[in-house]
Amino acid sequence: MTANPISSVSIVAGADIGPAGRHGISRLSRSLAARRIRTEALTATDPISGVQAVIVGCPVPGSLVADLLGEQRAALSPEPESLLLARTRWRCKPSWLVAGSDDRGLM
């Protein structure tokens, strides 16, 4: 078995995440833990210590998710339960942007 090059992931969640989105984040954390990848839950203002980041939320105006979508020039479908995944960089770290049109889209 080879060592995993990703030892830790910072999960940055917006304040707009409801029960379905929190459930999805919990499942992601458990899945990463099963692969021996440490996770930490953060807000956009917290210092980041993970090797990579996963930024999760809905594109509420002024939110980190909305800002990153604008930087990526990516368009999230307005349809209910839509999801957009994009590779990006945030705070000089390789990151994944997980944007949902609503809370169920994030799940």
Side-chain angles (χ1 to χ4, degrees):
M1 182 176 206
T2 61
N4 193 332
I6 302 171
S7 59
S8 61
V9 173
S10 298
I11 300 174
V12 182
D16 59 323
I17 295 181
R22 284 192 302 272
H23 174 73
I25 291 171
S26 176
R27 299 267 322 249
L28 172 63
S29 295
R30 286 195 309 266
S31 177
L32 291 170
R35 290 165 178 77
R36 300 177 196 253
I37 299 172
R38 184 180 56 83
T39 63
E40 63 178 353
L42 304 172
T43 66
T45 58
D46 293 330
I48 182 173
S49 65
V51 174
Q52 291 192 7
V54 177
I55 298 106
V56 182
C58 297
V60 177
S63 69
L64 175 60
V65 171
D67 292 346
L68 289 173
L69 280 172
E71 289 174 14
Q72 292 281 321
R73 294 190 175 115
L76 174 63
S77 171
E79 294 296 315
E81 301 182 19
S82 294
L83 178 68
L84 178 138
L85 301 173
R87 292 190 81 161
T88 188
R89 291 191 70 78
W90 182 64
R91 295 189 182 171
C92 301
K93 305 256 184 181
S95 303
W96 283 96
L97 173 61
V98 180
S101 63
D102 54 27
D103 190 51
R104 288 183 58 129
L106 290 174
M107 187 172 91

